[in-house]
Amino acid sequence: MVYGNMEGEGIFTFNDLGNVVRFETLRFKDTAEGAERIPWIITVLENKTFQGITIPSKCTATWMMETDPWQ
């Protein structure tokens, strides 16, 4: 995905109905100098339909830290 001079990428996972169930990318967890990007996962818990379009309405966001997942 490109927006202006910014670029990003990630993996979307869909169910059999075509709804997003998961999104995974690398993301900075902090802004400290030398910070590294860490796997970041969005898991969709619920969807809602608005004007005929189904979108995620409740999700969890998790950084996959070396020791334990962090939400």
Side-chain angles (χ1 to χ4, degrees):
M1 180 182 338
V2 177
Y3 180 76
N5 64 350
M6 296 175 56
E7 190 173 319
E9 62 182 53
I11 299 170
F12 286 91
T13 303
F14 299 88
N15 65 14
D16 291 340
L17 300 174
N19 297 324
V20 176
V21 294
R22 178 182 167 109
F23 175 72
E24 185 173 345
T25 192
L26 295 174
R27 183 175 178 187
F28 291 104
K29 185 173 176 296
D30 62 48
T31 58
E33 189 172 327
E36 295 183 18
R37 296 187 308 164
I38 299 168
W40 186 64
I41 299 171
I42 298 292
T43 303
V44 178
L45 303 176
E46 293 179 17
N47 290 300
K48 288 194 178 180
T49 302
F50 300 92
Q51 298 181 6
I53 299 171
T54 302
I55 61 171
S57 60
K58 185 176 182 180
C59 304
T60 60
T62 306
W63 270 282
M64 300 306 291
M65 309 300 287
E66 288 183 23
T67 54
D68 293 310
W70 186 82
Q71 295 181 331

Short mmCIF file of all heavy atoms in Angstrom, two decimals:
data_model
loop_
_atom_site.label_atom_id
_atom_site.label_comp_id
_atom_site.label_asym_id
_atom_site.label_seq_id
_atom_site.Cartn_x
_atom_site.Cartn_y
_atom_site.Cartn_z
N MET A 1 0.85 -1.15 0.00
CA MET A 1 0.00 0.00 0.00
C MET A 1 0.90 1.23 0.00
O MET A 1 1.90 1.28 0.72
CB MET A 1 -0.90 -0.02 1.24
CG MET A 1 -1.81 1.14 1.33
SD MET A 1 -2.88 1.23 2.81
CE MET A 1 -2.98 -0.39 3.41
N VAL A 2 0.56 2.21 -0.80
CA VAL A 2 1.31 3.46 -0.85
C VAL A 2 0.34 4.61 -0.61
O VAL A 2 -0.75 4.65 -1.19
CB VAL A 2 2.00 3.63 -2.23
CG1 VAL A 2 2.72 4.95 -2.31
CG2 VAL A 2 2.95 2.47 -2.50
N TYR A 3 0.74 5.53 0.27
CA TYR A 3 -0.04 6.74 0.54
C TYR A 3 0.93 7.91 0.58
O TYR A 3 1.75 8.00 1.50
CB TYR A 3 -0.80 6.61 1.87
CG TYR A 3 -1.63 7.82 2.21
CD1 TYR A 3 -2.84 8.05 1.57
CD2 TYR A 3 -1.19 8.73 3.17
CE1 TYR A 3 -3.60 9.16 1.87
CE2 TYR A 3 -1.96 9.85 3.48
CZ TYR A 3 -3.15 10.06 2.82
OH TYR A 3 -3.90 11.16 3.12
N GLY A 4 0.88 8.76 -0.43
CA GLY A 4 1.84 9.85 -0.52
C GLY A 4 3.24 9.28 -0.64
O GLY A 4 3.51 8.46 -1.51
N ASN A 5 4.14 9.70 0.26
CA ASN A 5 5.51 9.18 0.21
C ASN A 5 5.73 8.06 1.23
O ASN A 5 6.85 7.68 1.50
CB ASN A 5 6.52 10.31 0.43
CG ASN A 5 6.40 10.94 1.80
OD1 ASN A 5 5.45 10.68 2.54
ND2 ASN A 5 7.34 11.78 2.15
N MET A 6 4.64 7.53 1.80
CA MET A 6 4.74 6.44 2.76
C MET A 6 4.32 5.13 2.10
O MET A 6 3.44 5.11 1.26
CB MET A 6 3.86 6.73 3.98
CG MET A 6 4.30 7.94 4.76
SD MET A 6 3.20 8.38 6.10
CE MET A 6 3.16 6.89 7.05
N GLU A 7 4.97 4.05 2.52
CA GLU A 7 4.68 2.74 1.96
C GLU A 7 4.61 1.71 3.08
O GLU A 7 5.36 1.78 4.03
CB GLU A 7 5.81 2.38 0.99
CG GLU A 7 5.55 1.17 0.16
CD GLU A 7 6.64 0.96 -0.89
OE1 GLU A 7 7.09 1.95 -1.49
OE2 GLU A 7 7.04 -0.20 -1.06
N GLY A 8 3.68 0.78 2.98
CA GLY A 8 3.54 -0.27 3.99
C GLY A 8 3.05 -1.55 3.34
O GLY A 8 2.54 -1.55 2.23
N GLU A 9 3.22 -2.64 4.07
CA GLU A 9 2.73 -3.92 3.56
C GLU A 9 2.28 -4.79 4.71
O GLU A 9 2.68 -4.61 5.86
CB GLU A 9 3.80 -4.64 2.76
CG GLU A 9 5.03 -5.01 3.55
CD GLU A 9 6.09 -5.68 2.67
OE1 GLU A 9 6.45 -5.11 1.64
OE2 GLU A 9 6.51 -6.78 3.05
N GLY A 10 1.39 -5.71 4.41
CA GLY A 10 0.89 -6.63 5.41
C GLY A 10 0.15 -7.76 4.73
O GLY A 10 -0.05 -7.74 3.51
N ILE A 11 -0.26 -8.73 5.51
CA ILE A 11 -0.98 -9.90 4.99
C ILE A 11 -2.39 -9.91 5.59
O ILE A 11 -2.55 -9.91 6.81
CB ILE A 11 -0.25 -11.20 5.36
CG1 ILE A 11 1.15 -11.20 4.74
CG2 ILE A 11 -1.06 -12.42 4.90
CD1 ILE A 11 2.03 -12.32 5.25
N PHE A 12 -3.38 -9.89 4.71
CA PHE A 12 -4.77 -10.02 5.13
C PHE A 12 -5.19 -11.47 4.98
O PHE A 12 -4.86 -12.11 3.98
CB PHE A 12 -5.69 -9.16 4.26
CG PHE A 12 -5.61 -7.68 4.53
CD1 PHE A 12 -4.72 -6.89 3.85
CD2 PHE A 12 -6.43 -7.10 5.49
CE1 PHE A 12 -4.64 -5.52 4.09
CE2 PHE A 12 -6.36 -5.75 5.75
CZ PHE A 12 -5.47 -4.95 5.04
N THR A 13 -5.93 -11.99 5.95
CA THR A 13 -6.50 -13.34 5.88
C THR A 13 -8.02 -13.19 5.89
O THR A 13 -8.57 -12.44 6.71
CB THR A 13 -6.04 -14.20 7.07
OG1 THR A 13 -4.61 -14.24 7.08
CG2 THR A 13 -6.58 -15.62 6.96
N PHE A 14 -8.69 -13.90 5.00
CA PHE A 14 -10.14 -13.82 4.85
C PHE A 14 -10.78 -15.18 5.12
O PHE A 14 -10.16 -16.21 4.89
CB PHE A 14 -10.50 -13.39 3.42
CG PHE A 14 -9.96 -12.04 3.04
CD1 PHE A 14 -8.70 -11.93 2.49
CD2 PHE A 14 -10.71 -10.90 3.22
CE1 PHE A 14 -8.18 -10.69 2.14
CE2 PHE A 14 -10.22 -9.66 2.87
CZ PHE A 14 -8.94 -9.55 2.33
N ASN A 15 -12.03 -15.17 5.58
CA ASN A 15 -12.77 -16.42 5.76
C ASN A 15 -13.51 -16.77 4.47
O ASN A 15 -13.38 -16.07 3.45
CB ASN A 15 -13.71 -16.35 6.97
CG ASN A 15 -14.82 -15.33 6.81
OD1 ASN A 15 -15.09 -14.81 5.72
ND2 ASN A 15 -15.47 -15.00 7.91
N ASP A 16 -14.29 -17.84 4.49
CA ASP A 16 -15.00 -18.30 3.29
C ASP A 16 -16.05 -17.31 2.81
O ASP A 16 -16.46 -17.35 1.65
CB ASP A 16 -15.68 -19.66 3.56
CG ASP A 16 -14.67 -20.78 3.73
OD1 ASP A 16 -13.51 -20.62 3.28
OD2 ASP A 16 -15.04 -21.82 4.32
N LEU A 17 -16.49 -16.40 3.70
CA LEU A 17 -17.48 -15.39 3.32
C LEU A 17 -16.83 -14.14 2.75
O LEU A 17 -17.51 -13.21 2.33
CB LEU A 17 -18.34 -15.01 4.53
CG LEU A 17 -19.14 -16.15 5.16
CD1 LEU A 17 -19.83 -15.67 6.43
CD2 LEU A 17 -20.15 -16.69 4.17
N GLY A 18 -15.49 -14.10 2.75
CA GLY A 18 -14.78 -12.94 2.24
C GLY A 18 -14.53 -11.86 3.27
O GLY A 18 -14.09 -10.76 2.93
N ASN A 19 -14.82 -12.16 4.54
CA ASN A 19 -14.58 -11.19 5.61
C ASN A 19 -13.15 -11.29 6.13
O ASN A 19 -12.59 -12.39 6.23
CB ASN A 19 -15.55 -11.43 6.79
CG ASN A 19 -16.98 -11.24 6.40
OD1 ASN A 19 -17.31 -10.37 5.60
ND2 ASN A 19 -17.86 -12.05 6.96
N VAL A 20 -12.56 -10.15 6.45
CA VAL A 20 -11.22 -10.13 7.04
C VAL A 20 -11.29 -10.77 8.42
O VAL A 20 -12.16 -10.43 9.22
CB VAL A 20 -10.68 -8.69 7.17
CG1 VAL A 20 -9.33 -8.68 7.88
CG2 VAL A 20 -10.57 -8.04 5.82
N VAL A 21 -10.39 -11.71 8.71
CA VAL A 21 -10.33 -12.33 10.03
C VAL A 21 -9.01 -12.04 10.74
O VAL A 21 -8.90 -12.20 11.96
CB VAL A 21 -10.57 -13.86 9.97
CG1 VAL A 21 -11.99 -14.16 9.51
CG2 VAL A 21 -9.55 -14.56 9.08
N ARG A 22 -8.00 -11.58 9.95
CA ARG A 22 -6.68 -11.33 10.54
C ARG A 22 -5.88 -10.43 9.61
O ARG A 22 -5.99 -10.52 8.38
CB ARG A 22 -5.97 -12.68 10.72
CG ARG A 22 -4.57 -12.62 11.27
CD ARG A 22 -4.03 -14.06 11.32
NE ARG A 22 -2.61 -14.11 11.55
CZ ARG A 22 -2.04 -14.51 12.68
NH1 ARG A 22 -2.79 -14.93 13.68
NH2 ARG A 22 -0.74 -14.54 12.81
N PHE A 23 -5.06 -9.58 10.22
CA PHE A 23 -4.11 -8.75 9.48
C PHE A 23 -2.78 -8.82 10.21
O PHE A 23 -2.73 -8.69 11.43
CB PHE A 23 -4.58 -7.30 9.40
CG PHE A 23 -3.56 -6.40 8.75
CD1 PHE A 23 -3.32 -6.47 7.40
CD2 PHE A 23 -2.84 -5.50 9.51
CE1 PHE A 23 -2.36 -5.66 6.80
CE2 PHE A 23 -1.88 -4.68 8.93
CZ PHE A 23 -1.65 -4.75 7.57
N GLU A 24 -1.69 -9.03 9.47
CA GLU A 24 -0.37 -9.17 10.09
C GLU A 24 0.62 -8.28 9.35
O GLU A 24 0.64 -8.24 8.11
CB GLU A 24 0.07 -10.62 10.01
CG GLU A 24 1.35 -10.91 10.72
CD GLU A 24 1.66 -12.40 10.77
OE1 GLU A 24 0.76 -13.22 10.51
OE2 GLU A 24 2.81 -12.74 11.07
N THR A 25 1.45 -7.55 10.11
CA THR A 25 2.47 -6.70 9.53
C THR A 25 3.61 -6.53 10.54
O THR A 25 3.54 -7.05 11.65
CB THR A 25 1.88 -5.33 9.13
OG1 THR A 25 2.82 -4.61 8.33
CG2 THR A 25 1.47 -4.51 10.35
N LEU A 26 4.64 -5.80 10.16
CA LEU A 26 5.70 -5.42 11.09
C LEU A 26 5.47 -3.96 11.47
O LEU A 26 5.22 -3.13 10.60
CB LEU A 26 7.08 -5.58 10.44
CG LEU A 26 7.47 -7.01 10.09
CD1 LEU A 26 8.80 -7.01 9.33
CD2 LEU A 26 7.59 -7.86 11.34
N ARG A 27 5.53 -3.67 12.77
CA ARG A 27 5.22 -2.32 13.24
C ARG A 27 6.15 -1.97 14.40
O ARG A 27 6.50 -2.82 15.22
CB ARG A 27 3.77 -2.28 13.71
CG ARG A 27 3.34 -0.92 14.16
CD ARG A 27 1.88 -0.90 14.50
NE ARG A 27 1.54 0.43 14.97
CZ ARG A 27 0.40 0.77 15.47
NH1 ARG A 27 -0.56 -0.14 15.57
NH2 ARG A 27 0.16 1.99 15.87
N PHE A 28 6.52 -0.68 14.48
CA PHE A 28 7.31 -0.21 15.61
C PHE A 28 6.45 -0.19 16.86
O PHE A 28 5.32 0.29 16.83
CB PHE A 28 7.85 1.21 15.35
CG PHE A 28 8.88 1.26 14.27
CD1 PHE A 28 8.57 1.74 13.00
CD2 PHE A 28 10.17 0.82 14.50
CE1 PHE A 28 9.51 1.80 12.00
CE2 PHE A 28 11.14 0.88 13.50
CZ PHE A 28 10.80 1.37 12.25
N LYS A 29 6.97 -0.72 17.96
CA LYS A 29 6.23 -0.70 19.23
C LYS A 29 6.51 0.57 20.01
O LYS A 29 5.72 1.00 20.83
CB LYS A 29 6.59 -1.92 20.08
CG LYS A 29 5.77 -2.02 21.34
CD LYS A 29 6.04 -3.31 22.06
CE LYS A 29 5.29 -3.38 23.36
NZ LYS A 29 5.70 -2.37 24.31
N ASP A 30 7.65 1.22 19.76
CA ASP A 30 7.95 2.48 20.42
C ASP A 30 8.69 3.39 19.45
O ASP A 30 8.97 3.01 18.32
CB ASP A 30 8.74 2.29 21.72
CG ASP A 30 10.10 1.65 21.52
OD1 ASP A 30 10.85 2.10 20.62
OD2 ASP A 30 10.43 0.71 22.26
N THR A 31 9.00 4.60 19.89
CA THR A 31 9.64 5.59 19.02
C THR A 31 11.09 5.84 19.39
O THR A 31 11.70 6.76 18.88
CB THR A 31 8.87 6.92 19.09
OG1 THR A 31 8.84 7.37 20.45
CG2 THR A 31 7.45 6.76 18.56
N ALA A 32 11.64 5.03 20.27
CA ALA A 32 13.03 5.21 20.70
C ALA A 32 13.99 5.01 19.53
O ALA A 32 13.72 4.24 18.61
CB ALA A 32 13.37 4.21 21.81
N GLU A 33 15.10 5.72 19.58
CA GLU A 33 16.11 5.56 18.55
C GLU A 33 16.59 4.10 18.52
O GLU A 33 16.82 3.50 19.56
CB GLU A 33 17.30 6.49 18.82
CG GLU A 33 18.29 6.52 17.68
CD GLU A 33 19.36 7.57 17.86
OE1 GLU A 33 19.06 8.62 18.45
OE2 GLU A 33 20.48 7.31 17.41
N GLY A 34 16.69 3.55 17.35
CA GLY A 34 17.11 2.17 17.21
C GLY A 34 15.98 1.16 17.38
O GLY A 34 16.23 -0.05 17.38
N ALA A 35 14.74 1.64 17.54
CA ALA A 35 13.61 0.72 17.69
C ALA A 35 13.49 -0.16 16.45
O ALA A 35 13.76 0.28 15.34
CB ALA A 35 12.32 1.50 17.92
N GLU A 36 13.10 -1.39 16.67
CA GLU A 36 12.92 -2.33 15.57
C GLU A 36 11.45 -2.63 15.38
O GLU A 36 10.65 -2.55 16.31
CB GLU A 36 13.69 -3.62 15.86
CG GLU A 36 15.18 -3.43 15.92
CD GLU A 36 15.92 -4.74 16.14
OE1 GLU A 36 15.32 -5.81 15.91
OE2 GLU A 36 17.08 -4.67 16.54
N ARG A 37 11.12 -3.00 14.16
CA ARG A 37 9.73 -3.39 13.89
C ARG A 37 9.51 -4.81 14.41
O ARG A 37 10.36 -5.68 14.27
CB ARG A 37 9.42 -3.29 12.41
CG ARG A 37 9.51 -1.84 11.93
CD ARG A 37 9.04 -1.65 10.53
NE ARG A 37 9.69 -2.56 9.60
CZ ARG A 37 9.25 -2.80 8.38
NH1 ARG A 37 8.16 -2.21 7.94
NH2 ARG A 37 9.88 -3.63 7.59
N ILE A 38 8.33 -5.02 15.00
CA ILE A 38 7.97 -6.28 15.63
C ILE A 38 6.69 -6.78 14.95
O ILE A 38 5.82 -5.99 14.60
CB ILE A 38 7.70 -6.05 17.13
CG1 ILE A 38 8.97 -5.53 17.81
CG2 ILE A 38 7.21 -7.31 17.82
CD1 ILE A 38 8.72 -5.00 19.21
N PRO A 39 6.53 -8.11 14.77
CA PRO A 39 5.28 -8.61 14.21
C PRO A 39 4.09 -8.12 15.03
O PRO A 39 4.09 -8.18 16.25
CB PRO A 39 5.43 -10.14 14.31
CG PRO A 39 6.90 -10.37 14.28
CD PRO A 39 7.49 -9.20 15.03
N TRP A 40 3.10 -7.61 14.33
CA TRP A 40 1.89 -7.03 14.94
C TRP A 40 0.70 -7.66 14.25
O TRP A 40 0.62 -7.68 13.02
CB TRP A 40 1.92 -5.52 14.72
CG TRP A 40 0.85 -4.74 15.40
CD1 TRP A 40 0.65 -4.61 16.74
CD2 TRP A 40 -0.15 -3.94 14.76
NE1 TRP A 40 -0.41 -3.75 16.98
CE2 TRP A 40 -0.91 -3.34 15.78
CE3 TRP A 40 -0.46 -3.66 13.44
CZ2 TRP A 40 -1.97 -2.48 15.52
CZ3 TRP A 40 -1.52 -2.81 13.18
CH2 TRP A 40 -2.26 -2.23 14.21
N ILE A 41 -0.21 -8.23 15.03
CA ILE A 41 -1.33 -8.98 14.48
C ILE A 41 -2.65 -8.41 14.98
O ILE A 41 -2.84 -8.21 16.18
CB ILE A 41 -1.23 -10.47 14.86
CG1 ILE A 41 0.06 -11.05 14.29
CG2 ILE A 41 -2.45 -11.23 14.38
CD1 ILE A 41 0.38 -12.43 14.77
N ILE A 42 -3.54 -8.15 14.04
CA ILE A 42 -4.92 -7.76 14.35
C ILE A 42 -5.78 -9.00 14.13
O ILE A 42 -5.75 -9.59 13.04
CB ILE A 42 -5.41 -6.63 13.43
CG1 ILE A 42 -4.57 -5.38 13.61
CG2 ILE A 42 -6.89 -6.35 13.66
CD1 ILE A 42 -4.73 -4.71 14.94
N THR A 43 -6.53 -9.40 15.14
CA THR A 43 -7.46 -10.52 15.02
C THR A 43 -8.87 -9.97 15.16
O THR A 43 -9.19 -9.29 16.14
CB THR A 43 -7.20 -11.57 16.12
OG1 THR A 43 -5.83 -11.99 16.02
CG2 THR A 43 -8.10 -12.76 15.97
N VAL A 44 -9.70 -10.25 14.16
CA VAL A 44 -11.08 -9.76 14.17
C VAL A 44 -11.93 -10.68 15.04
O VAL A 44 -11.97 -11.89 14.83
CB VAL A 44 -11.65 -9.68 12.74
CG1 VAL A 44 -13.09 -9.22 12.77
CG2 VAL A 44 -10.79 -8.75 11.89
N LEU A 45 -12.62 -10.09 16.02
CA LEU A 45 -13.49 -10.85 16.91
C LEU A 45 -14.95 -10.77 16.50
O LEU A 45 -15.71 -11.70 16.71
CB LEU A 45 -13.33 -10.32 18.35
CG LEU A 45 -11.91 -10.35 18.91
CD1 LEU A 45 -11.88 -9.72 20.29
CD2 LEU A 45 -11.38 -11.77 18.95
N GLU A 46 -15.34 -9.62 15.94
CA GLU A 46 -16.74 -9.41 15.51
C GLU A 46 -16.78 -8.53 14.28
O GLU A 46 -15.90 -7.68 14.08
CB GLU A 46 -17.55 -8.72 16.61
CG GLU A 46 -17.76 -9.53 17.85
CD GLU A 46 -18.55 -8.77 18.92
OE1 GLU A 46 -19.21 -7.77 18.61
OE2 GLU A 46 -18.49 -9.19 20.08
N ASN A 47 -17.81 -8.73 13.47
CA ASN A 47 -18.08 -7.89 12.30
C ASN A 47 -19.46 -7.28 12.44
O ASN A 47 -20.34 -7.85 13.10
CB ASN A 47 -18.04 -8.71 11.01
CG ASN A 47 -16.66 -9.17 10.66
OD1 ASN A 47 -15.77 -8.35 10.46
ND2 ASN A 47 -16.46 -10.48 10.58
N LYS A 48 -19.67 -6.14 11.81
CA LYS A 48 -20.99 -5.53 11.71
C LYS A 48 -21.19 -5.08 10.27
O LYS A 48 -20.23 -4.78 9.57
CB LYS A 48 -21.13 -4.33 12.65
CG LYS A 48 -21.22 -4.74 14.10
CD LYS A 48 -21.68 -3.60 14.96
CE LYS A 48 -21.80 -4.13 16.40
NZ LYS A 48 -22.24 -3.11 17.31
N THR A 49 -22.44 -5.05 9.87
CA THR A 49 -22.77 -4.63 8.51
C THR A 49 -23.42 -3.25 8.56
O THR A 49 -24.38 -3.04 9.31
CB THR A 49 -23.69 -5.65 7.84
OG1 THR A 49 -23.03 -6.93 7.84
CG2 THR A 49 -24.01 -5.25 6.41
N PHE A 50 -22.86 -2.32 7.78
CA PHE A 50 -23.37 -0.96 7.68
C PHE A 50 -23.66 -0.68 6.22
O PHE A 50 -22.76 -0.79 5.38
CB PHE A 50 -22.33 0.06 8.19
CG PHE A 50 -21.93 -0.14 9.62
CD1 PHE A 50 -20.85 -0.93 9.95
CD2 PHE A 50 -22.65 0.46 10.64
CE1 PHE A 50 -20.47 -1.12 11.28
CE2 PHE A 50 -22.30 0.28 11.97
CZ PHE A 50 -21.20 -0.50 12.28
N GLN A 51 -24.90 -0.36 5.92
CA GLN A 51 -25.33 -0.05 4.55
C GLN A 51 -24.86 -1.11 3.56
O GLN A 51 -24.35 -0.82 2.48
CB GLN A 51 -24.85 1.35 4.15
CG GLN A 51 -25.43 2.43 5.02
CD GLN A 51 -24.97 3.82 4.62
OE1 GLN A 51 -24.29 4.02 3.62
NE2 GLN A 51 -25.37 4.81 5.41
N GLY A 52 -24.96 -2.37 3.97
CA GLY A 52 -24.63 -3.49 3.09
C GLY A 52 -23.16 -3.87 3.04
O GLY A 52 -22.78 -4.78 2.32
N ILE A 53 -22.32 -3.17 3.80
CA ILE A 53 -20.88 -3.46 3.81
C ILE A 53 -20.50 -4.01 5.17
O ILE A 53 -20.73 -3.35 6.19
CB ILE A 53 -20.06 -2.20 3.48
CG1 ILE A 53 -20.43 -1.69 2.09
CG2 ILE A 53 -18.56 -2.50 3.56
CD1 ILE A 53 -19.85 -0.35 1.74
N THR A 54 -19.91 -5.19 5.20
CA THR A 54 -19.49 -5.83 6.45
C THR A 54 -18.04 -5.46 6.73
O THR A 54 -17.17 -5.64 5.87
CB THR A 54 -19.65 -7.35 6.37
OG1 THR A 54 -21.03 -7.64 6.09
CG2 THR A 54 -19.25 -8.02 7.67
N ILE A 55 -17.82 -4.92 7.94
CA ILE A 55 -16.47 -4.52 8.34
C ILE A 55 -16.19 -5.01 9.76
O ILE A 55 -17.11 -5.27 10.54
CB ILE A 55 -16.29 -2.99 8.27
CG1 ILE A 55 -17.26 -2.29 9.23
CG2 ILE A 55 -16.43 -2.48 6.85
CD1 ILE A 55 -17.02 -0.82 9.40
N PRO A 56 -14.90 -5.15 10.11
CA PRO A 56 -14.57 -5.51 11.49
C PRO A 56 -15.07 -4.45 12.46
O PRO A 56 -14.93 -3.25 12.21
CB PRO A 56 -13.04 -5.57 11.49
CG PRO A 56 -12.67 -5.83 10.06
CD PRO A 56 -13.70 -5.08 9.27
N SER A 57 -15.68 -4.89 13.56
CA SER A 57 -16.19 -3.94 14.56
C SER A 57 -15.55 -4.15 15.92
O SER A 57 -15.63 -3.28 16.78
CB SER A 57 -17.71 -4.07 14.68
OG SER A 57 -18.06 -5.38 15.07
N LYS A 58 -14.92 -5.29 16.13
CA LYS A 58 -14.23 -5.56 17.39
C LYS A 58 -13.01 -6.42 17.07
O LYS A 58 -13.13 -7.46 16.43
CB LYS A 58 -15.15 -6.28 18.37
CG LYS A 58 -14.54 -6.49 19.74
CD LYS A 58 -15.57 -7.12 20.69
CE LYS A 58 -14.99 -7.29 22.07
NZ LYS A 58 -15.97 -7.90 22.98
N CYS A 59 -11.83 -5.95 17.52
CA CYS A 59 -10.57 -6.63 17.20
C CYS A 59 -9.65 -6.62 18.41
O CYS A 59 -9.83 -5.85 19.34
CB CYS A 59 -9.85 -5.90 16.07
SG CYS A 59 -10.80 -5.70 14.57
N THR A 60 -8.63 -7.47 18.35
CA THR A 60 -7.52 -7.39 19.29
C THR A 60 -6.27 -7.04 18.49
O THR A 60 -6.16 -7.41 17.32
CB THR A 60 -7.27 -8.70 20.05
OG1 THR A 60 -6.97 -9.73 19.11
CG2 THR A 60 -8.46 -9.10 20.90
N ALA A 61 -5.35 -6.32 19.12
CA ALA A 61 -4.07 -6.00 18.51
C ALA A 61 -2.98 -6.58 19.39
O ALA A 61 -2.97 -6.34 20.60
CB ALA A 61 -3.91 -4.49 18.38
N THR A 62 -2.06 -7.34 18.81
CA THR A 62 -1.04 -8.04 19.58
C THR A 62 0.33 -7.86 18.94
O THR A 62 0.49 -8.08 17.74
CB THR A 62 -1.36 -9.55 19.64
OG1 THR A 62 -2.68 -9.74 20.13
CG2 THR A 62 -0.36 -10.29 20.51
N TRP A 63 1.30 -7.43 19.75
CA TRP A 63 2.69 -7.46 19.31
C TRP A 63 3.25 -8.82 19.72
O TRP A 63 3.10 -9.23 20.86
CB TRP A 63 3.52 -6.36 19.99
CG TRP A 63 3.55 -5.08 19.23
CD1 TRP A 63 4.30 -4.80 18.13
CD2 TRP A 63 2.81 -3.91 19.51
NE1 TRP A 63 4.08 -3.51 17.72
CE2 TRP A 63 3.16 -2.94 18.55
CE3 TRP A 63 1.88 -3.56 20.49
CZ2 TRP A 63 2.61 -1.66 18.54
CZ3 TRP A 63 1.34 -2.30 20.47
CH2 TRP A 63 1.71 -1.37 19.51
N MET A 64 3.90 -9.50 18.81
CA MET A 64 4.47 -10.81 19.09
C MET A 64 5.91 -10.61 19.60
O MET A 64 6.87 -10.62 18.84
CB MET A 64 4.44 -11.69 17.84
CG MET A 64 3.03 -11.93 17.31
SD MET A 64 1.87 -12.58 18.54
CE MET A 64 2.54 -14.20 18.77
N MET A 65 6.02 -10.39 20.92
CA MET A 65 7.31 -10.15 21.55
C MET A 65 8.10 -11.45 21.61
O MET A 65 7.55 -12.54 21.46
CB MET A 65 7.10 -9.59 22.96
CG MET A 65 6.15 -8.38 23.02
SD MET A 65 6.72 -6.99 22.07
CE MET A 65 8.04 -6.44 23.11
N GLU A 66 9.40 -11.35 21.87
CA GLU A 66 10.25 -12.54 21.92
C GLU A 66 9.82 -13.50 23.03
O GLU A 66 9.92 -14.72 22.86
CB GLU A 66 11.70 -12.13 22.14
CG GLU A 66 12.34 -11.50 20.93
CD GLU A 66 13.80 -11.18 21.14
OE1 GLU A 66 14.44 -11.80 22.01
OE2 GLU A 66 14.29 -10.29 20.42
N THR A 67 9.36 -12.97 24.16
CA THR A 67 9.01 -13.84 25.29
C THR A 67 7.53 -14.21 25.30
O THR A 67 7.19 -15.37 25.42
CB THR A 67 9.37 -13.16 26.63
OG1 THR A 67 8.74 -11.87 26.66
CG2 THR A 67 10.85 -13.01 26.77
N ASP A 68 6.64 -13.24 25.19
CA ASP A 68 5.20 -13.48 25.23
C ASP A 68 4.48 -12.48 24.33
O ASP A 68 4.94 -11.36 24.16
CB ASP A 68 4.66 -13.29 26.66
CG ASP A 68 5.16 -14.35 27.62
OD1 ASP A 68 5.06 -15.54 27.28
OD2 ASP A 68 5.65 -13.97 28.70
N PRO A 69 3.31 -12.86 23.81
CA PRO A 69 2.49 -11.88 23.09
C PRO A 69 2.10 -10.74 24.03
O PRO A 69 1.89 -10.96 25.22
CB PRO A 69 1.27 -12.68 22.66
CG PRO A 69 1.68 -14.11 22.73
CD PRO A 69 2.72 -14.18 23.81
N TRP A 70 2.01 -9.51 23.49
CA TRP A 70 1.64 -8.34 24.29
C TRP A 70 0.47 -7.65 23.64
O TRP A 70 0.51 -7.30 22.46
CB TRP A 70 2.85 -7.39 24.40
CG TRP A 70 2.63 -6.25 25.31
CD1 TRP A 70 2.76 -6.25 26.66
CD2 TRP A 70 2.26 -4.91 24.95
NE1 TRP A 70 2.49 -4.99 27.17
CE2 TRP A 70 2.19 -4.16 26.13
CE3 TRP A 70 2.00 -4.28 23.74
CZ2 TRP A 70 1.84 -2.80 26.15
CZ3 TRP A 70 1.64 -2.95 23.74
CH2 TRP A 70 1.58 -2.22 24.94
N GLN A 71 -0.64 -7.48 24.41
CA GLN A 71 -1.84 -6.84 23.87
C GLN A 71 -2.08 -5.53 24.57
O GLN A 71 -1.83 -5.36 25.71
CB GLN A 71 -3.06 -7.72 24.02
CG GLN A 71 -2.95 -8.97 23.21
CD GLN A 71 -4.17 -9.86 23.32
OE1 GLN A 71 -4.85 -9.88 24.33
NE2 GLN A 71 -4.44 -10.61 22.30
#
